[in-house]
Amino acid sequence: MAADPEGEDGEWSALVRGDPGARERLAKQAHAVASAELARRGAPLAAREDLVQEVVRSTLAYAARGGPAPKDLATFLKFRSWGVLSDHRKRLRRAPPMLSPTTELPDNDRGPERVAELGQLRRALAECVERLSPEQRSAVVLRYQRQLDSTTIAAELGLHRNTLHVRVFRALAALRECLARKGFGVEDLGP
Amino acid sequence: MSKLRPEDQARCVEYIDGELDEAAQLEFERRLAHEPELALAVERLLATDRVLREQLLAPTAARRRPWSLAVRLVASIAAAAVLFVGSLLYFARERSRVAFVASHESPLEALASAPELRLLRPEGLSALRGSQDPPNISAEDFLRTEAAAREREANSALKSAVSSGEAGFFRIALELDEASLVYVHATTRDNKPVVLESGPLRLSAGRHELPGPRFSVDPNQPGVLRYDRGYLVPVGCGELTVVLAILAPGHELQHWPDTSELSGQPRELGGQGAEVHTLVVREPR
């Protein structure tokens, strides 16, 4: 979505001043961006409207608290949607392991071409992981294969959490580049 | 490689992991709306993170052909025969013992699996257990009791040389007569590698449980117990073949055979001076 910084800043400032019309317009835009973004990110259908409402609520609350106007409101709302979805997934992970109406189910509907494509991707990924430095590989294995959280991984590797996060960032960047060289653009493999 | 400052790189990972509180999250999102390079880095990070979570955790299930059961049966018998002969050949110089031990997804299931742990509600584990019941044992006493229960379980598994089983998560009981270098390698039924350890493990002589203790005190949160589920059997893999190659100190594997040659691997690794153990873990149906 194209941003109109001047107009959005105006709405944002008007909202901070208490203009009810501005609140309604901002809410409408937040709803539209969040609906599209959460659908794109594969948010579970049953929970999607609640998540959209949470994006709207937190955005309006942030503006009302006097939070500085984002330069590009559409980008802000897009990432706000991710933040809300990420929190939702975190809550699900903490919940007891049972199916609920909002649990995302795996997609088992895979044709032979998709199966073959995934096989190639996994082989490429395994080769790329092998090429990481031992330090980066350890972080990736503990994070994705063992599914440990950052606190546990940092303790296991004897690292400060920030150091671990930098290592993870660089490992993922290296994997992305390696996969791209093998013909797999991670952005094109979207949900 | 990204030109972002290290503190921004760390922040990006905290953000995609949902580790920021709402205020910090909103502030970071405002920055993303101002800094296209930062936004691009987060987009790329999210995409790569998603691919890794999907692909490293969920190998494709092998499509079954009508004759695959018979072929697998014959292959299993042949493999068993090879392993039997192999074990006879290596028996004389065996310096390690290995066994499969089933593990559990949640700490609650782990507690329920041992009679002496079933009724324990250790301090510091309530958040994980999701229970409102008050604790009835200190974390230290619980760890002692739990270690004794696991010791007995590992003894039994090692004594019976349990080399296969069905589990979603598993551990490996290992007894070494001398300090050793231990390589752990796994492949799915269709020969896809599964990374269990990032490199060889340098272990002292004695008893070990891989990948590590089930319960331990969180070093960053004193008084809080954390639970490690063990190795994951990837969803849809059907069966995982785990090969452990154990070398005496001062030796290293010259090479690990290609995964497509897995069936010939034990002999190959033995040729490199390694003691080899194979475990088979079946995915629960």
Side-chain angles (χ1 to χ4, degrees):
Chain A
M1 176 185 280
D4 174 8
E6 202 178 320
E8 286 159 358
D9 192 15
E11 298 290 22
W12 196 278
S13 305
L15 177 63
V16 173
R17 289 197 305 273
D19 175 353
R23 182 183 172 82
E24 197 177 315
R25 288 189 294 277
L26 189 55
K28 203 171 165 185
Q29 184 174 357
H31 194 285
V33 173
S35 299
E37 187 61 15
L38 288 167
R40 188 176 79 85
R41 295 268 182 215
L45 204 56
R48 201 172 294 167
E49 186 52 32
D50 286 347
L51 298 176
V52 169
Q53 291 301 333
E54 177 56 21
V55 172
V56 174
R57 183 205 64 75
S58 59
T59 302
L60 293 177
Y62 181 57
R65 281 201 305 271
K71 186 175 172 189
D72 178 345
L73 182 58
T75 302
F76 173 82
L77 290 170
K78 195 176 79 171
F79 283 110
R80 185 81 289 269
S81 306
W82 161 255
V84 166
L85 178 59
S86 160
D87 285 346
H88 170 72
R89 288 178 172 160
K90 206 167 157 187
R91 283 195 298 277
L92 281 184
R93 282 199 294 274
R94 282 179 186 157
M98 61 174 71
L99 289 177
S100 74
T102 55
T103 302
E104 290 161 88
L105 295 171
D107 172 19
N108 293 320
D109 184 20
R110 290 172 175 163
E113 294 83 8
R114 180 70 175 150
V115 168
E117 188 191 347
L118 287 177
Q120 289 170 359
L121 171 61
R122 281 181 195 128
R123 273 192 292 280
L125 189 54
E127 286 168 16
C128 290
V129 170
E130 285 297 312
R131 286 182 194 173
L132 292 174
S133 69
E135 293 79 15
Q136 291 181 343
R137 195 160 56 235
S138 303
V140 165
V141 167
L142 293 173
R143 179 180 166 93
Y144 295 101
Q145 182 61 36
R146 300 272 311 283
Q147 297 182 61
L148 300 179
D149 60 42
S150 292
T151 306
T152 310
I153 298 172
E156 204 153 296
L157 298 179
L159 298 173
H160 189 278
R161 273 166 57 90
N162 263 13
T163 310
L164 172 69
H165 287 149
V166 171
R167 192 172 286 182
V168 168
F169 181 96
R170 292 177 180 172
L172 293 190
L175 288 174
R176 180 183 160 279
E177 284 171 15
C178 176
L179 285 172
R181 282 196 300 275
K182 291 174 180 290
F184 295 99
V186 291
E187 286 88 351
D188 303 331
L189 299 167
Chain B
M1 187 59 73
S2 172
K3 290 173 190 155
L4 296 180
R5 294 175 306 164
E7 52 268 38
D8 282 341
Q9 295 179 351
R11 201 65 163 170
C12 287
V13 174
E14 284 179 326
Y15 176 68
I16 71 157
D17 284 354
E19 291 183 2
L20 303 177
D21 60 28
E22 188 178 278
Q25 218 178 54
L26 281 158
E27 180 49 34
F28 189 70
E29 284 157 1
R30 193 189 64 78
R31 278 191 64 198
L32 292 172
H34 278 258
E35 300 173 40
E37 194 188 351
L38 190 62
L40 181 63
V42 170
E43 279 291 0
R44 288 175 169 173
L45 205 54
L46 282 170
T48 315
D49 179 76
R50 180 180 48 71
V51 167
L52 260 80
R53 287 191 193 283
E54 288 173 2
Q55 306 309 323
L56 281 188
L57 292 174
T60 311
R63 286 185 166 258
R64 291 194 179 178
R65 298 181 182 90
W67 40 263
S68 64
L69 186 63
V71 170
R72 280 208 305 278
L73 187 64
V74 171
S76 301
I77 292 169
V82 168
L83 284 176
F84 177 70
V85 173
S87 65
L88 286 180
L89 288 172
Y90 287 108
F91 182 75
R93 59 190 184 92
E94 184 182 82
R95 54 183 183 270
S96 61
R97 285 147 297 282
V98 170
F100 157 86
V101 180
S103 189
H104 307 276
E105 181 164 14
S106 75
L108 192 57
E109 290 171 300
L111 294 181
S113 70
E116 61 270 60
L117 303 178
R118 200 164 291 158
L119 297 176
L120 297 184
R121 295 189 300 276
E123 276 177 350
L125 201 61
S126 55
L128 285 174
R129 297 183 63 224
S131 163
Q132 298 303 313
D133 298 331
N136 60 8
I137 186 169
S138 71
E140 292 73 20
D141 287 343
F142 168 76
L143 287 177
R144 272 193 292 275
T145 311
E146 198 266 343
R150 297 311 168 201
E151 177 80 10
R152 202 171 48 255
E153 186 182 21
N155 277 342
S156 162
L158 286 167
K159 192 175 171 189
S160 313
V162 179
S163 63
S164 66
E166 186 175 287
F169 295 89
F170 68 100
R171 317 182 85 81
I172 300 171
L174 174 61
E175 195 170 55
L176 300 170
D177 292 343
E178 57 185 343
S180 304
L181 197 60
V182 178
Y183 290 75
V184 185
H185 192 81
T187 51
T188 59
R189 187 180 279 157
D190 47 355
N191 269 350
K192 301 266 170 35
V194 174
V195 184
L196 295 183
E197 295 289 349
S198 55
L201 308 167
R202 291 179 194 282
L203 300 177
S204 58
R207 181 73 61 79
H208 300 273
E209 189 179 57
L210 304 180
R214 293 160 205 239
F215 291 92
S216 57
V217 175
D218 188 330
N220 294 318
Q221 301 178 73
V224 173
L225 287 177
R226 63 181 188 187
Y227 173 68
D228 183 345
R229 296 173 296 187
Y231 298 119
L232 170 75
V233 179
V235 176
C237 80
E239 190 175 276
L240 204 60
T241 300
V242 183
V243 176
L244 284 91
I246 298 171
L247 286 109
H251 294 77
E252 282 196 5
L253 281 185
Q254 297 306 307
H255 71 281
W256 189 274
D258 188 88
T259 51
S260 61
E261 302 163 355
L262 183 69
S263 56
Q265 189 163 273
R267 195 175 301 167
E268 169 69 32
L269 295 175
Q272 296 185 64
E275 191 166 291
V276 179
H277 301 269
T278 302
L279 305 175
V280 176
V281 189
R282 294 182 300 279
E283 184 186 6
R285 299 215 170 259

